[in-house]
Amino acid sequence: MNQDRSLPAPGLAEVRVTTASPDVAQLIAQALRSWFSSTEQRSYPAGESGSGTRLVLTVDTTAVPEAPTSFQPWLVSAGGSGS
């Protein structure tokens, strides 16, 4: 199983998001764009029935903008104190 896939240029990362809803894929793309410069996203049908969405975009990790002031990492907020 040796698949020769080309890598993005240094400093770039290709991100693939697969969801049941195109709205969710769009939210993820917007969140990534708040942190990284990115290319225009490309979307494709996903899933066995083709009703899902696979979104692909390339982000530039060398030019990270400042965090939005309203940002709270989801890992911190989702981890919570168990209340």
Side-chain angles (χ1 to χ4, degrees), residues 6 13 30 33 36 38-39 48-49 53 61-62 67 69 75 78 82-83:
S6 62
Q30 288 173 352
R33 284 195 184 104
F36 302 102
S38 69
T39 61
E48 291 182 22
S49 68
T53 299
T61 64
T62 64
T69 56
L75 285 174
S83 51

Side-chain angles (χ1 to χ4, degrees), residues 14-56:
E14 187 172 282
V15 179
R16 295 171 186 255
V17 177
T18 305
T19 70
S21 163
D23 294 334
V24 172
Q26 185 64 33
L27 286 173
I28 298 299
Q30 288 173 352
L32 285 170
R33 284 195 184 104
S34 72
W35 281 94
F36 302 102
S37 297
S38 69
T39 61
E40 194 62 35
Q41 66 199 36
R42 303 169 308 278
S43 62
Y44 308 93
E48 291 182 22
S49 68
S51 61
T53 299
R54 181 171 53 97
L55 181 104
V56 180

